[in-house]
Amino acid sequence: MALGLGLIGTGFMGKAHALAYRAAGAVFGDLPDVSLEVLCDTPAERAQSMARQFGFARSTDRWHDLIGDPAVDIVSITTPNALHREMALAALAAGKHVHCEKPLALTLEQAEEMETAARAAGVRTIVGYNYIHNPAVSHARKLIADGMIGRPVHYRGWVDEDYQADPELPWTWRAKRSEAGLGTLGDLGCHLVSMAHVLMGQVSSLIADIQIIHETRPLPGASGRAPVENEDTASAIVRFESGAQGTLCTSRSAWGRKNKLDWEVHGTKGMISFSQERLNELQFYVNDGPRAEQGFRTILTGPEHAPYGMFCPAPGHQLGFGDLKTIEVAAFLRAIAGGQDVFPDFTDALGIERVIHAIDISAREGRRITL
Amino acid sequence: MALGLGLIGTGFMGKAHALAYRAAGAVFGDLPDVSLEVLCDTPAERAQSMARQFGFARSTDRWHDLIGDPAVDIVSITTPNALHREMALAALAAGKHVHCEKPLALTLEQAEEMETAARAAGVRTIVGYNYIHNPAVSHARKLIADGMIGRPVHYRGWVDEDYQADPELPWTWRAKRSEAGLGTLGDLGCHLVSMAHVLMGQVSSLIADIQIIHETRPLPGASGRAPVENEDTASAIVRFESGAQGTLCTSRSAWGRKNKLDWEVHGTKGMISFSQERLNELQFYVNDGPRAEQGFRTILTGPEHAPYGMFCPAPGHQLGFGDLKTIEVAAFLRAIAGGQDVFPDFTDALGIERVIHAIDISAREGRRITL
Amino acid sequence: MALGLGLIGTGFMGKAHALAYRAAGAVFGDLPDVSLEVLCDTPAERAQSMARQFGFARSTDRWHDLIGDPAVDIVSITTPNALHREMALAALAAGKHVHCEKPLALTLEQAEEMETAARAAGVRTIVGYNYIHNPAVSHARKLIADGMIGRPVHYRGWVDEDYQADPELPWTWRAKRSEAGLGTLGDLGCHLVSMAHVLMGQVSSLIADIQIIHETRPLPGASGRAPVENEDTASAIVRFESGAQGTLCTSRSAWGRKNKLDWEVHGTKGMISFSQERLNELQFYVNDGPRAEQGFRTILTGPEHAPYGMFCPAPGHQLGFGDLKTIEVAAFLRAIAGGQDVFPDFTDALGIERVIHAIDISAREGRRITL
Amino acid sequence: MALGLGLIGTGFMGKAHALAYRAAGAVFGDLPDVSLEVLCDTPAERAQSMARQFGFARSTDRWHDLIGDPAVDIVSITTPNALHREMALAALAAGKHVHCEKPLALTLEQAEEMETAARAAGVRTIVGYNYIHNPAVSHARKLIADGMIGRPVHYRGWVDEDYQADPELPWTWRAKRSEAGLGTLGDLGCHLVSMAHVLMGQVSSLIADIQIIHETRPLPGASGRAPVENEDTASAIVRFESGAQGTLCTSRSAWGRKNKLDWEVHGTKGMISFSQERLNELQFYVNDGPRAEQGFRTILTGPEHAPYGMFCPAPGHQLGFGDLKTIEVAAFLRAIAGGQDVFPDFTDALGIERVIHAIDISAREGRRITL
């Protein structure tokens, strides 16, 4: 029996999910079958035309119907942030597996409620932090686990983009705390923290500061400007449970940065660094052999870096953003079939959201937050 | 009525075709429907299991049956080079559209025969030089066409890999001229020349040299070594019809190069350069504005560079190798639906193969070859 | 009348000063003459042989004699950190201009005493933060001052090296707070902060954390290990007087980093970034012109970036570390000749040291420090 | 007794020589003393003021006087290309050691005459191909000699600049064959070939093509345009005596390239590549260890790469163009003191010029030239 997919949303992430669920089975030979059952969006016409384009059997403009559909086993939620909570809770209550786009929710309280519901429901959940599924990142984790850089002692992580860099960009709901929640921390913070968690383990405490760069924005179609209520940048100095330290920094107003999710892991024997804008490359330095020949190696991902080889048997041919999503979907489908947890489920995601909100609280209250 | 696809081969390129034909319609909303009808490979069991994985309706181990299948409108050929000719001729004879992997054929005579048959058949053909479908390359072409770098006057192209760099790699059919045809020119030369053609126009004449680096290779499972009959490197100095000059160089024995299809177009006002190992980036220099602020710009592809936006609306998120194949498939499907030619059809490919063979002939005969 | 130079120390920085004072007049045509009068080091034989190599007229192993020498107008201090204070105070008391290597002193109290003495002495002083004299940095300052990137709103600075990365490096005086003062903050912090100051203006407050990675080191020539008392890494989140925010991070235990003094200035219209390991390049992004052609420009320094042209009239030929020292010396000689202040004199340096020590205090006391 | 230097010319190279001769003894402790005796330029006032700036004892506007001066042991020739021959012959006839800037001469016949005279004179000569003295290049030679990349089998070299890229640059003597000799081959070709020779050994034969991009240039201060008689680009496919092959390409009209003397050496076990615009870095790949960790290493030069450490004991601090000239001068002074030859003396340079002229002849006559 194929697993039935119900997908809510047809925007950036909706399309990414549709493409990934279509591709996963053909890329990986070992996955349970998936049938694309229901696509939901508004208005109904859009849902219908996108269902045809994406290859879904049916469409609807009522997400409750999708969740209630008996052919739907997996509910994929790719709607605006403010809707994640209600949809996820309904899907969990209906006993469906839930694939939720990031961030989990607008507030920490909502995230906690969702995590509790997920644990109670006994289904599989996953949150769409897809960058951690990059074979380059997986290989970095392996290098670290194998002791290739010694003990990891320091970490630096960044996520910078420029989608809010222009001072004259009109005011939108994104600037309003009650609708969008946090600013750059809400949009990009989950990538910042999830990457730190998979590479370094849990954050135990932190100090932080935040900044609103553009204090007002022009109201669209009107004279006057409205205030921006959430942060453009956030910076934290963190301590990890392992004893390592590091910094986590993010900006949504960093001109020229398009998807600069960068990090470096400092170890006692070497270093690994990475830039998402060159997602098929790892920089790897190890204190080994003659000093005169040491240097950072640019490792180009290839079939030695699983599961790259499932996409292409030749090295250096490059995976793309969509391929990372396909790997995420494959991991989720395997977890559903096997009945085990997958990283990051709602519990993992809650841990990540706690760090994000701790950054916000530390910045506002001027004190160290212990997690 | 959907277009029926018959795909021959399930290796590197077979899988790439299957994934691309599955994805194209969902990525692009404007394509004719495609149904995955028949998959052919040997043995039959492999064909059957891959058909299931890739989502084909039927499978066979007899390619003649696939070509004869009335539900098949498009025949996709991804078999070893020596089989391209026979399969393509049969498919053309049956009135099928043909999607043939590169190179077109082992010899120039075969390529000419295939091109003649394609013109006679009145169907659409395309050859899988997928790198030219990269939005970065398309944008470079637009910059050149718009005069942004002035008149293009000089060109440098390279395609380097290292799959034959190891001297102790066992001897295979790839080393035999009668089975594999040319060496690096046969494997990589079409990328070298097709890229030059789309960026600079036709090559009019050239001088060249070739080199066998590893003159023998160990026979697998035997004592002794067998000769390598085809070239490891090829280098040409070309003149274009436009009056421009340039160099074309390729090696299959270049350690560390995984897919280094690089090029630079020198213009009278600026320069554009590119490296396939960073396929989402263009380097663009223009002599404009204060000299103190001039420099090569790293342009990261994004939604401004069509059709990137069909995959992802956010810049810097990176397309992968598979996505380029999807763009190629989309171009072919549009050509079939519209009845117009698509680049590179068998006629374009023949022009490209002529340059490749001219490099070989010039090197062997020590004289300038005019095309 | 030529200005007489007395140089104390013949190590890394001693040689760098000697070479720079030898070169400056020949590079720049507009400087006062300098005569290399006295070189001081111990033992006397070393002083004598290095004086001959560097071209000094006389040598001594008694620095008091050098300072008291009537032919000496400028005293250059390149000795270990713990000696800076005493020598500088003596030179100032003798009415000599003082060129002191960084850091100014071991403690903030010492730095304050030196600054007071310098102001009282009415002579010219400079501290050797030579990286800020790079034409690339000067050009960045010009771009910022000209509004090319709008209002500078965020800053990130790093200085990483790996000279203390090896866990098995023997214990030295560098690990002892009473002899070496701070750890990475003492060695590298002045570059971190001086660069931030010249690009962004004064830091007004900060929060910070520090870390000792290697808690003990093996005692040389003995069994057992001794404790490391000063920090391997330091991280700060700063607010500038301008309202901008940012982070300052440094490590002396970052494998693979040799001189990674990097920074990025985020502005409301663009961004500039820089890496000292490629000291002849600026990365410059401006939100101007079509989005499809935007990207970071790699500006290679050349004669348009003064005073590069005094070294070489052709762009892209590269200045080196020694050339930056020559520019520093030229700035100092001009200040002496003109009677005006030069950046960074002891007063500027004290401001920089205050930030360094504030980082240390914030980390130890767990509170925001306002400067 | 110090060696007396007479320097003819005070332009780009004149200043570079003056600075390098001033610095060499202080950088290296093992060199014979040098006294800066006579500086020659026209008019006499310029010679006088530059002598003062550079620290020469005397000045003259008559180069014959300089050569005849008994205090002058070394004659350094940095004048326009057309004067090299006459000055070098006179200096050799006077028994002086000769440091001649590149190119040796305008024509091959002149170069041969100069080489014959040099051999007859029994003095030391050197030609200013200073890029080959880079510690990064020396280290590459050592890696190759040590077999680290196996047998060197293929080479690619380029020298690109953009000083003639602008179509509207006025016509000068550089465009006239009788005054300037060759075009880009004359200006940049010696770097192209000397680098190939030191890395790969002698070129044995070649085929080539050349191109004039800008066929005319505007006459300064006049209406009308005058023809450009020498090449803007040159490309050659070469065979080395060792059996290796490769390409050598140069352009003086390559927008954005400031000093792009790049090369790559392909070996049977690895590859080394280099770019002069990042002169402190080597890219080094070796097929060793797990494939998953292989990649090009960026080796930053440091004290392990002699004689970097004579300039600076800390890695990653960067040498500059001037430092390479200082290394060249040191090599020359050691050769004079030791009475042995130094690379590249006039005989080596003649071999290099022969290759340059062979490229020109091959291109003009359309045939392979054997050296």
Side-chain angles (χ1 to χ4, degrees):
Chain A
M1 264 296 290
L3 290 163
L5 176 71
L7 171 61
I8 315 177
T10 64
F12 180 178
M13 278 300 128
K15 189 171 189 177
H17 279 232
L19 293 172
Y21 276 97
R22 280 181 72 86
V27 171
F28 297 93
D30 64 338
L31 302 182
D33 285 344
V34 171
S35 66
L36 308 186
E37 293 292 336
V38 191
L39 182 67
C40 175
D41 206 344
T42 56
E45 292 71 27
R46 176 170 174 88
Q48 194 172 9
S49 89
M50 297 314 289
R52 181 174 155 73
Q53 179 173 337
F54 294 163
F56 279 79
R58 298 181 296 291
S59 69
T60 178
D61 61 349
R62 293 156 52 155
W63 61 266
H64 283 289
D65 289 359
L66 178 147
I67 286 173
D69 192 308
V72 167
D73 301 297
I74 303 169
V75 175
S76 204
I77 302 169
T78 70
T79 49
N81 304 352
L83 299 170
H84 290 184
R85 174 186 159 276
E86 191 180 0
M87 290 175 173
L89 291 178
L92 291 168
K96 307 299 168 88
H97 305 292
V98 180
H99 190 166
C100 186
E101 262 312 310
K102 56 91 195 169
L104 206 50
L106 292 191
T107 67
L108 194 53
E109 291 68 32
Q110 291 180 359
E112 285 167 346
E113 183 185 6
M114 292 162 76
E115 192 264 349
T116 302
R119 274 192 291 115
V123 295
R124 304 277 79 76
T125 56
I126 194 169
V127 183
Y129 307 155
N130 59 317
Y131 299 127
I132 59 178
H133 297 285
N134 184 342
V137 174
S138 301
H139 191 65
R141 294 175 67 180
K142 183 180 179 307
L143 290 172
I144 295 168
D146 292 351
M148 297 288 282
I149 59 164
R151 182 167 49 98
V153 289
H154 201 79
Y155 181 80
R156 302 224 182 99
W158 304 265
V159 187
D160 292 338
E161 299 199 6
D162 66 2
Y163 60 93
Q164 294 279 307
D166 189 341
E168 294 313 308
L169 222 62
W171 189 93
T172 71
W173 63 272
R174 282 181 176 280
K176 213 173 155 78
R177 229 175 134 100
S178 60
E179 287 188 42
L182 299 171
T184 188
L185 283 170
D187 291 342
L188 308 178
C190 59
H191 296 308
L192 186 68
V193 177
S194 62
M195 194 61 82
H197 273 193
V198 302
L199 291 164
M200 298 293 290
Q202 303 289 308
V203 169
S204 57
S205 78
L206 59 83
I207 54 175
D209 208 353
I210 58 174
Q211 171 189 25
I212 297 177
I213 290 173
H214 307 293
E215 300 192 346
T216 63
R217 290 196 171 278
L219 282 164
S223 58
R225 304 174 70 95
V228 174
E229 297 173 355
N230 49 28
E231 77 288 346
D232 286 302
T233 80
S235 308
I237 308 173
V238 303
R239 295 180 184 170
F240 292 93
E241 288 184 356
S242 69
Q245 281 196 18
T247 49
L248 301 178
C249 304
T250 178
S251 172
R252 65 183 181 187
S253 297
W255 272 119
R257 306 307 190 190
K258 305 306 178 186
N259 191 17
K260 200 163 168 60
L261 190 173
D262 290 13
W263 51 260
E264 48 188 49
V265 177
H266 302 216
T268 51
K269 286 189 197 160
M271 186 180 295
I272 310 176
S273 75
F274 172 84
S275 178
Q276 182 69 29
E277 289 181 353
R278 288 175 175 167
L279 71 85
N280 291 279
E281 300 180 17
L282 272 186
Q283 296 291 328
F284 173 47
Y285 184 100
V286 60
N287 176 33
D288 193 21
R291 185 64 62 94
E293 273 82 73
Q294 290 186 9
F296 275 90
R297 288 180 218 179
T298 303
I299 300 176
L300 258 178
T301 46
E304 294 83 7
H305 310 100
Y308 175 104
M310 303 309 293
F311 294 87
C312 173
H317 280 55
Q318 320 275 310
L319 300 190
F321 173 81
D323 299 323
L324 304 190
K325 205 75 194 171
T326 300
I327 300 172
E328 174 185 305
V329 161
F332 190 42
L333 294 174
R334 273 194 211 98
I336 292 171
Q340 80 279 22
D341 289 338
V342 63
F343 186 89
D345 65 13
F346 278 19
T347 300
D348 302 315
L350 177 60
I352 289 160
E353 300 267 338
R354 280 200 173 115
V355 178
I356 293 167
H357 286 276
I359 293 172
D360 182 55
I361 295 165
S362 172
R364 293 176 179 278
E365 303 187 358
R367 62 184 178 91
R368 177 172 292 273
I369 303 293
T370 300
L371 287 143
Chain B
M1 266 297 289
L3 291 163
L5 175 71
L7 170 61
I8 315 178
T10 64
F12 179 0
M13 277 301 127
K15 189 171 190 177
H17 280 233
L19 293 173
Y21 276 98
R22 279 181 73 85
V27 171
F28 297 94
D30 64 338
L31 301 182
D33 285 344
V34 171
S35 65
L36 308 186
E37 293 291 336
V38 191
L39 183 67
C40 174
D41 205 344
T42 57
E45 292 70 29
R46 175 170 174 89
Q48 193 172 11
S49 89
M50 297 314 289
R52 180 172 156 75
Q53 179 173 335
F54 294 162
F56 279 79
R58 298 181 296 290
S59 69
T60 178
D61 61 350
R62 294 157 52 156
W63 62 265
H64 283 289
D65 289 359
L66 178 148
I67 286 170
D69 193 308
V72 166
D73 302 296
I74 303 169
V75 175
S76 203
I77 302 169
T78 70
T79 50
N81 305 351
L83 298 170
H84 291 183
R85 173 189 160 275
E86 190 180 1
M87 290 174 173
L89 290 177
L92 291 168
K96 307 299 168 88
H97 305 292
V98 180
H99 189 166
C100 186
E101 261 314 309
K102 57 92 193 166
L104 206 49
L106 291 191
T107 67
L108 194 54
E109 293 66 32
Q110 291 180 358
E112 285 166 347
E113 184 185 7
M114 291 162 76
E115 191 264 349
T116 303
R119 274 193 289 114
V123 295
R124 303 278 77 75
T125 56
I126 193 168
V127 184
Y129 308 153
N130 58 317
Y131 299 127
I132 60 178
H133 297 285
N134 184 343
V137 174
S138 302
H139 192 66
R141 295 174 68 180
K142 184 180 177 307
L143 290 172
I144 295 167
D146 291 352
M148 295 288 283
I149 59 164
R151 183 167 49 96
V153 289
H154 201 79
Y155 181 80
R156 303 224 182 99
W158 304 266
V159 187
D160 292 339
E161 298 198 9
D162 65 3
Y163 61 93
Q164 295 280 305
D166 188 342
E168 294 313 309
L169 222 61
W171 189 95
T172 71
W173 63 270
R174 282 183 176 280
K176 212 172 156 78
R177 230 176 134 99
S178 60
E179 287 188 41
L182 298 172
T184 187
L185 283 170
D187 292 341
L188 308 178
C190 60
H191 296 308
L192 186 68
V193 178
S194 62
M195 193 61 82
H197 273 194
V198 302
L199 291 165
M200 297 294 290
Q202 303 288 308
V203 169
S204 58
S205 78
L206 59 84
I207 54 176
D209 208 351
I210 59 174
Q211 173 189 23
I212 297 177
I213 289 173
H214 306 294
E215 299 193 346
T216 63
R217 289 196 173 278
L219 282 165
S223 58
R225 304 175 68 95
V228 173
E229 298 174 355
N230 49 26
E231 77 291 344
D232 287 302
T233 80
S235 309
I237 308 173
V238 303
R239 294 180 185 171
F240 293 94
E241 289 183 357
S242 68
Q245 280 196 18
T247 49
L248 301 178
C249 303
T250 178
S251 173
R252 65 183 179 187
S253 297
W255 272 119
R257 307 307 190 190
K258 305 306 178 185
N259 191 17
K260 200 163 166 58
L261 190 173
D262 290 13
W263 51 260
E264 48 188 50
V265 177
H266 302 215
T268 51
K269 286 188 198 162
M271 185 179 298
I272 310 176
S273 76
F274 172 83
S275 179
Q276 182 69 29
E277 289 181 353
R278 288 178 175 164
L279 71 85
N280 290 280
E281 299 179 17
L282 273 185
Q283 296 291 329
F284 174 48
Y285 184 100
V286 60
N287 176 33
D288 194 21
R291 186 61 62 95
E293 272 83 71
Q294 290 186 8
F296 276 91
R297 287 180 221 181
T298 304
I299 300 176
L300 258 179
T301 46
E304 294 83 7
H305 311 101
Y308 175 105
M310 304 308 293
F311 294 86
C312 173
H317 280 56
Q318 319 276 308
L319 300 190
F321 173 80
D323 299 323
L324 304 189
K325 205 75 194 169
T326 300
I327 299 172
E328 174 184 306
V329 162
F332 190 41
L333 293 175
R334 274 194 210 97
I336 292 171
Q340 80 280 22
D341 290 339
V342 63
F343 186 90
D345 66 13
F346 278 19
T347 301
D348 302 315
L350 177 60
I352 289 160
E353 300 266 339
R354 281 199 172 117
V355 178
I356 292 167
H357 286 277
I359 292 172
D360 181 55
I361 297 165
S362 172
R364 292 175 178 280
E365 304 186 357
R367 61 183 179 91
R368 176 172 293 275
I369 303 294
T370 300
L371 287 142
Chain C
M1 266 296 291
L3 290 163
L5 176 71
L7 170 61
I8 315 178
T10 64
F12 180 0
M13 277 302 127
K15 189 170 189 178
H17 280 232
L19 293 172
Y21 277 97
R22 278 181 73 86
V27 171
F28 298 93
D30 65 338
L31 301 182
D33 286 344
V34 171
S35 64
L36 307 186
E37 293 291 336
V38 191
L39 182 67
C40 174
D41 206 344
T42 56
E45 292 70 29
R46 177 170 173 87
Q48 193 172 10
S49 88
M50 297 313 290
R52 180 173 156 75
Q53 179 172 336
F54 294 163
F56 279 78
R58 297 182 295 293
S59 69
T60 178
D61 59 351
R62 294 157 52 157
W63 60 264
H64 283 290
D65 289 358
L66 179 148
I67 286 172
D69 192 308
V72 168
D73 302 295
I74 302 171
V75 175
S76 204
I77 302 170
T78 70
T79 49
N81 304 352
L83 299 170
H84 291 183
R85 173 186 161 275
E86 191 181 359
M87 290 174 174
L89 291 178
L92 292 168
K96 308 299 168 88
H97 305 290
V98 180
H99 189 167
C100 186
E101 262 313 309
K102 56 93 190 165
L104 205 50
L106 292 191
T107 68
L108 195 52
E109 291 67 32
Q110 291 179 358
E112 285 166 347
E113 184 185 5
M114 291 161 77
E115 192 264 349
T116 302
R119 275 193 290 113
V123 296
R124 304 276 78 76
T125 57
I126 193 168
V127 183
Y129 306 155
N130 59 315
Y131 299 128
I132 59 178
H133 297 286
N134 185 340
V137 173
S138 302
H139 192 65
R141 296 174 67 180
K142 182 179 179 308
L143 290 171
I144 295 168
D146 291 351
M148 296 289 283
I149 59 164
R151 184 167 48 98
V153 289
H154 201 79
Y155 181 80
R156 301 223 184 99
W158 303 266
V159 187
D160 292 340
E161 299 199 6
D162 65 3
Y163 61 94
Q164 294 279 306
D166 189 340
E168 294 312 309
L169 222 60
W171 189 94
T172 71
W173 64 272
R174 282 181 175 280
K176 212 171 157 79
R177 230 175 135 100
S178 60
E179 287 188 41
L182 299 171
T184 187
L185 283 170
D187 290 342
L188 308 178
C190 60
H191 296 307
L192 187 67
V193 177
S194 62
M195 194 61 83
H197 273 193
V198 301
L199 291 164
M200 297 293 287
Q202 302 288 308
V203 170
S204 58
S205 77
L206 59 84
I207 54 176
D209 209 353
I210 58 174
Q211 173 190 22
I212 297 177
I213 289 174
H214 306 294
E215 300 192 346
T216 62
R217 291 196 171 277
L219 283 165
S223 59
R225 303 175 70 95
V228 173
E229 298 174 355
N230 49 28
E231 78 289 345
D232 286 304
T233 79
S235 308
I237 308 173
V238 303
R239 295 181 184 168
F240 293 94
E241 288 183 357
S242 69
Q245 280 196 17
T247 48
L248 301 179
C249 303
T250 179
S251 172
R252 65 182 180 187
S253 297
W255 273 119
R257 306 308 191 191
K258 305 306 178 187
N259 192 17
K260 200 163 166 58
L261 189 173
D262 290 13
W263 51 261
E264 47 189 49
V265 177
H266 301 217
T268 52
K269 287 188 195 160
M271 186 180 295
I272 310 175
S273 76
F274 172 84
S275 179
Q276 181 70 28
E277 290 182 352
R278 289 176 175 167
L279 71 85
N280 291 280
E281 299 180 16
L282 273 186
Q283 296 291 329
F284 173 49
Y285 184 100
V286 60
N287 176 34
D288 193 21
R291 186 63 60 97
E293 273 83 72
Q294 290 184 9
F296 276 91
R297 286 180 220 179
T298 304
I299 300 176
L300 259 179
T301 46
E304 294 83 7
H305 311 102
Y308 175 104
M310 302 309 294
F311 294 87
C312 172
H317 280 55
Q318 321 276 308
L319 300 190
F321 174 80
D323 300 324
L324 304 189
K325 205 74 195 170
T326 301
I327 300 173
E328 174 184 306
V329 162
F332 189 42
L333 294 175
R334 274 194 210 97
I336 291 171
Q340 82 278 23
D341 289 337
V342 63
F343 187 89
D345 65 14
F346 278 19
T347 301
D348 302 315
L350 176 61
I352 289 160
E353 299 267 338
R354 282 201 171 115
V355 177
I356 291 167
H357 286 277
I359 293 172
D360 181 56
I361 296 166
S362 173
R364 292 176 179 277
E365 304 187 358
R367 61 182 179 92
R368 176 172 293 275
I369 304 293
T370 301
L371 287 142
Chain D
M1 265 298 290
L3 290 163
L5 175 72
L7 170 62
I8 315 177
T10 63
F12 180 178
M13 278 301 127
K15 189 171 189 177
H17 280 232
L19 292 173
Y21 276 97
R22 279 181 72 85
V27 171
F28 297 93
D30 65 337
L31 301 181
D33 285 344
V34 172
S35 65
L36 309 186
E37 293 291 336
V38 190
L39 182 68
C40 173
D41 205 346
T42 56
E45 292 71 27
R46 175 170 175 87
Q48 193 171 12
S49 89
M50 298 313 289
R52 181 172 156 75
Q53 179 173 337
F54 295 162
F56 279 78
R58 299 181 295 290
S59 68
T60 178
D61 60 350
R62 294 156 53 155
W63 61 264
H64 283 289
D65 289 358
L66 178 148
I67 286 171
D69 192 307
V72 167
D73 302 294
I74 302 169
V75 174
S76 202
I77 302 169
T78 70
T79 49
N81 305 351
L83 299 171
H84 291 183
R85 173 187 160 277
E86 190 180 1
M87 289 174 174
L89 291 177
L92 291 168
K96 307 298 168 90
H97 305 292
V98 179
H99 190 166
C100 186
E101 262 314 309
K102 55 92 193 167
L104 207 49
L106 291 191
T107 69
L108 195 52
E109 291 67 32
Q110 291 179 359
E112 286 166 346
E113 183 185 8
M114 291 161 77
E115 192 264 350
T116 303
R119 275 193 290 114
V123 296
R124 304 278 77 76
T125 57
I126 194 169
V127 184
Y129 307 154
N130 58 316
Y131 299 128
I132 60 178
H133 296 286
N134 185 343
V137 174
S138 301
H139 192 66
R141 295 174 67 180
K142 182 180 179 308
L143 290 172
I144 295 167
D146 291 351
M148 297 288 284
I149 60 164
R151 183 167 49 98
V153 289
H154 200 80
Y155 181 80
R156 303 224 183 98
W158 303 267
V159 187
D160 292 339
E161 298 198 8
D162 65 3
Y163 61 92
Q164 293 279 308
D166 188 342
E168 294 312 310
L169 223 61
W171 188 94
T172 71
W173 63 272
R174 282 180 175 281
K176 212 173 158 78
R177 230 177 134 98
S178 60
E179 287 188 42
L182 298 171
T184 187
L185 283 170
D187 291 340
L188 308 179
C190 58
H191 296 306
L192 187 67
V193 177
S194 61
M195 194 60 82
H197 272 194
V198 300
L199 291 164
M200 298 293 289
Q202 302 289 308
V203 169
S204 58
S205 77
L206 59 83
I207 54 176
D209 208 352
I210 58 173
Q211 173 189 22
I212 297 177
I213 289 173
H214 307 293
E215 300 192 346
T216 62
R217 291 197 171 278
L219 283 164
S223 58
R225 304 176 67 95
V228 173
E229 298 174 355
N230 49 27
E231 77 290 344
D232 287 303
T233 80
S235 309
I237 308 173
V238 303
R239 295 180 185 170
F240 293 93
E241 289 183 357
S242 69
Q245 280 197 18
T247 48
L248 301 178
C249 303
T250 178
S251 172
R252 66 182 180 187
S253 298
W255 272 120
R257 307 308 190 190
K258 304 307 176 186
N259 191 17
K260 201 165 166 58
L261 189 174
D262 290 13
W263 50 261
E264 48 189 50
V265 177
H266 301 216
T268 52
K269 288 188 195 161
M271 185 179 296
I272 309 176
S273 75
F274 171 83
S275 179
Q276 181 69 29
E277 289 181 352
R278 288 177 175 165
L279 71 86
N280 290 279
E281 299 179 18
L282 273 186
Q283 296 291 328
F284 174 47
Y285 184 99
V286 60
N287 176 33
D288 192 20
R291 186 63 62 96
E293 273 83 71
Q294 290 184 9
F296 276 91
R297 288 180 219 177
T298 304
I299 300 176
L300 258 180
T301 45
E304 294 83 9
H305 311 100
Y308 175 104
M310 303 309 293
F311 294 87
C312 172
H317 279 56
Q318 320 276 309
L319 299 190
F321 173 81
D323 299 323
L324 305 189
K325 206 73 195 172
T326 301
I327 300 172
E328 175 184 305
V329 162
F332 189 42
L333 294 175
R334 273 193 212 97
I336 291 171
Q340 82 277 23
D341 288 339
V342 63
F343 186 91
D345 65 13
F346 278 19
T347 301
D348 302 315
L350 176 61
I352 289 161
E353 300 266 338
R354 281 201 172 116
V355 178
I356 292 167
H357 286 277
I359 293 173
D360 182 54
I361 296 164
S362 173
R364 292 176 178 279
E365 302 185 0
R367 61 182 180 93
R368 176 172 293 274
I369 303 294
T370 301
L371 286 141

